[in-house]
Amino acid sequence: MKVYELERVIASLKEELAGVVNHPYILKFIERPEIDEDKLMLLYFMLNEQKIEQKDQYILPIMLVQIALDTHDTVSQVNLINEQAYKNQQLTVLAGDYYSSLYYYFLSQINDIKMIRVLAGAIQEINEKKMNYHHDQNQSIDEIIEQVSIIESGLLQKVAKHFNLSLWQNVCKEYLLARKLVLERNRLLQKEASIFLGKVENVHHTLEKLKPSLTNNLVNELDGRIQKCLVKLDNLLIDQLSSVREMLKKKASVQSN
């Protein structure tokens, strides 16, 4: 399959998924949920390798879990004094629960109890990592990045493991970690704040005491880790179909520039 054909298939899956999550009542109060096209693409590739014919029967519920996790992440942690803002926040939580509940429905249609357990286990692990990530202030950079890696790719890694696709388990980990680190590097250069940057800056302050060169130190740190991810990704993709390899490497290259 050519790259343009893959792009067309993934766009079609994205449109189908959008039709499921765009509930008219929910969209009156909260923003339309964002569909992570990269994760959709990775999921399609791994299921295609497994030669599952009705891929959408798995892609839809798995991506609904991802959308539910992402929706819950948008809930503000600050106190809300505006009644409408408070109502919208409550609806956001309920929307996340609604998206999550839909995956049970879709998997029940194909009677795949094992996959329900896989996704439930992934949700539990990711939420536990999020709790540690947000509340543990005594972490090394390696520990911070390991938690971020699981939060970013834990769902797809669990699915890959379920289907005995160890290569795709590693591809998902390296690709999505690189994407996250590139995002945080860009935030750093644009002087934007984030939980991740706050945590790693705190580690660098503690270890180096070099406040004037802190930004340069962090950029170098992130650049080194991004490059490691991309080298690993390149090695993992050597034996993949040229169209799959080209599409993934193209996306990784665009994000790292």
Side-chain angles (χ1 to χ4, degrees), residues 56-186:
D56 57 341
Q57 291 184 328
Y58 285 96
I59 288 174
L60 288 179
I62 294 167
M63 287 303 299
L64 282 167
V65 171
Q66 185 63 61
I67 291 170
L69 290 167
D70 294 342
T71 300
H72 282 146
D73 283 345
T74 65
V75 176
S76 173
Q77 299 297 314
V78 300
N79 293 325
L80 299 174
I81 57 175
N82 181 284
E83 184 177 345
Q84 184 59 48
Y86 179 70
K87 179 180 179 180
N88 289 353
Q89 179 169 290
Q90 287 182 309
L91 284 168
T92 301
V93 173
L94 291 174
D97 293 342
Y98 168 71
Y99 299 140
S100 184
S101 68
L102 284 177
Y103 92 83
Y104 285 104
Y105 169 75
F106 281 105
L107 288 178
S108 69
Q109 302 301 300
I110 55 175
N111 196 30
D112 194 334
I113 304 302
K114 288 184 179 179
M115 180 57 76
I116 291 175
R117 290 172 180 163
V118 167
L119 298 182
I123 292 169
Q124 179 180 348
E125 181 180 13
I126 291 169
N127 285 334
E128 288 173 355
K129 292 298 180 185
K130 285 180 180 179
M131 289 291 292
N132 291 335
Y133 178 69
H134 286 284
H135 298 293
D136 189 347
Q137 302 303 317
N138 299 309
Q139 298 168 319
S140 67
I141 290 181
D142 285 338
E143 289 171 331
I144 293 168
I145 289 179
E146 178 60 26
Q147 288 187 335
V148 164
S149 179
I150 293 173
I151 291 168
E152 292 294 316
S153 65
L155 179 64
L156 295 192
Q157 284 197 62
K158 289 283 189 184
V159 173
K161 184 177 180 180
H162 172 70
F163 287 116
N164 296 315
L165 298 171
S166 58
L167 183 143
W168 283 102
Q169 192 173 349
N170 289 319
V171 167
C172 291
K173 177 181 179 181
E174 301 302 333
Y175 181 92
L176 294 172
L177 177 57
R179 185 183 72 164
K180 172 65 173 178
L181 295 179
V182 169
L183 172 65
E184 295 297 345
R185 179 187 185 278
N186 291 340

Side-chain angles (χ1 to χ4, degrees), residues 22-35:
N22 290 340
H23 192 288
Y25 177 77
I26 293 174
L27 295 181
K28 286 182 180 179
F29 302 97
I30 67 172
E31 293 184 5
R32 191 181 305 275
E34 185 173 343
I35 297 171

